[in-house]
Amino acid sequence: MQANDNAAGAAGTSGGRGAAPVGQVTWQRSGVTRADRERKNGHSGRVLWFTGLPGSGKSTLAFALERELHDRGIACLVLDGDNVRHGLCRDLGFSEGDRRENLRRVGEVSKLFVEAGTVVLAALVSPNGEDRGMVRAMFEEGDFAEVYVRCSLEECERRDPKGLYKKARSGLIPSFTGIGAPYDVPERPELTIDTQLAPAGESVAALIDYLERRGDLLGSLAEAGQV
């Protein structure tokens, strides 16, 4: 991962991209607390981190769940792995270091939304187990849940919605996860969704059931007695 040496030198950072300027930043506290925001929203802030092979259905599930939660009066947002690379992470490639930085940035943005009382649905391949652990460690106990979207490599390759597996097999993408680069299967995810066995509707229902059991769906509509 290439460090921004010019920016680091100008700001007096301790070194590398992402390092805070030494002695120049102070945490500013808001008079509006997370509890205030959650009371206004009518529910708690949380992050569901969808991980799985490319083509396993992470984005499909995240956006379908977003629609369901929105209809229930839950403040929610999808942070999709492809979408963030159009803006927030557009300067990053797919080296091991850049992938780690990609997850760190999305994790930090997720923290901000959780602080605002929003349910975040982050959908990223995030193939490295250690990197996923890094993101988990950013959050308080109970704020982060890992959702393993399980699907066999053969089925993901058969689907190949973006044609990336075909490119990987032809050598055009040498470090593609599942072909030229490994994927660390989660050891203890909070929830496993098998998209090869269950259709999207059943998978979303399983996610809703999980959130209901956690008590995360006390949205504004429920608070008003409308559901």
Side-chain angles (χ1 to χ4, degrees), residues 36-60:
D36 293 332
R37 302 177 198 278
E38 290 181 332
R39 276 193 296 270
K40 184 174 182 179
N41 288 351
H43 61 82
S44 300
R46 294 287 185 267
V47 58
L48 296 186
W49 193 276
F50 294 81
T51 175
L53 287 170
S56 59
K58 300 177 297 299
S59 296
T60 298

Side-chain angles (χ1 to χ4, degrees), residues 26-99:
T26 303
W27 186 264
Q28 303 296 320
R29 296 195 177 277
S30 171
V32 181
T33 67
R34 172 178 170 179
D36 293 332
R37 302 177 198 278
E38 290 181 332
R39 276 193 296 270
K40 184 174 182 179
N41 288 351
H43 61 82
S44 300
R46 294 287 185 267
V47 58
L48 296 186
W49 193 276
F50 294 81
T51 175
L53 287 170
S56 59
K58 300 177 297 299
S59 296
T60 298
L61 281 181
F63 283 114
L65 180 59
E66 180 188 46
R67 179 76 261 175
E68 178 67 23
L69 293 177
H70 176 79
D71 289 347
R72 288 171 175 247
I74 304 294
C76 56
L77 178 74
V78 172
L79 294 178
D80 179 75
D82 277 1
N83 291 356
V84 297
R85 285 183 175 272
H86 283 82
L88 177 69
C89 301
R90 66 184 303 172
D91 60 320
L92 300 177
F94 291 91
S95 68
E96 183 177 343
D98 277 8
R99 283 189 167 191

Side-chain angles (χ1 to χ4, degrees), residues 5-226:
D5 294 328
N6 291 334
T13 63
S14 57
R17 180 168 54 201
V22 176
Q24 296 183 34
V25 295
T26 303
W27 186 264
Q28 303 296 320
R29 296 195 177 277
S30 171
V32 181
T33 67
R34 172 178 170 179
D36 293 332
R37 302 177 198 278
E38 290 181 332
R39 276 193 296 270
K40 184 174 182 179
N41 288 351
H43 61 82
S44 300
R46 294 287 185 267
V47 58
L48 296 186
W49 193 276
F50 294 81
T51 175
L53 287 170
S56 59
K58 300 177 297 299
S59 296
T60 298
L61 281 181
F63 283 114
L65 180 59
E66 180 188 46
R67 179 76 261 175
E68 178 67 23
L69 293 177
H70 176 79
D71 289 347
R72 288 171 175 247
I74 304 294
C76 56
L77 178 74
V78 172
L79 294 178
D80 179 75
D82 277 1
N83 291 356
V84 297
R85 285 183 175 272
H86 283 82
L88 177 69
C89 301
R90 66 184 303 172
D91 60 320
L92 300 177
F94 291 91
S95 68
E96 183 177 343
D98 277 8
R99 283 189 167 191
R100 182 178 179 85
E101 173 62 11
N102 184 58
L103 295 197
R104 188 195 68 80
R105 291 184 192 181
V106 176
E108 292 289 356
V109 171
S110 298
K111 281 178 59 180
L112 294 175
F113 277 104
V114 169
E115 184 69 18
T118 300
V119 175
V120 179
L121 311 173
L124 302 95
V125 175
S126 38
N128 186 280
E130 183 177 338
D131 291 347
R132 296 196 302 267
M134 169 196 68
V135 176
R136 180 187 288 273
M138 296 178 179
F139 296 87
E140 298 294 330
E141 183 71 26
D143 283 351
F144 179 96
E146 185 177 56
V147 179
Y148 172 37
V149 183
R150 182 168 58 197
C151 187
S152 69
L153 175 62
E154 293 74 19
E155 175 61 17
C156 290
E157 192 166 359
R158 185 194 66 78
R159 296 174 181 175
D160 202 10
K162 303 170 188 175
L164 299 179
Y165 281 100
K166 183 177 180 180
K167 291 180 180 179
R169 290 294 186 187
S170 66
L172 295 176
I173 308 177
S175 298
F176 189 71
T177 302
I179 304 298
Y183 175 78
D184 297 338
V185 174
E187 295 181 358
R188 290 182 295 275
E190 277 73 13
L191 187 65
T192 297
I193 299 291
D194 195 320
T195 61
Q196 192 168 345
L197 298 178
E202 289 184 16
S203 297
V204 171
L207 288 161
I208 291 293
D209 179 68
Y210 169 73
L211 291 171
E212 286 179 335
R213 285 187 281 108
R214 280 172 50 104
D216 289 341
L217 297 188
L218 301 178
S220 56
L221 294 180
E223 188 177 84
Q226 297 181 40

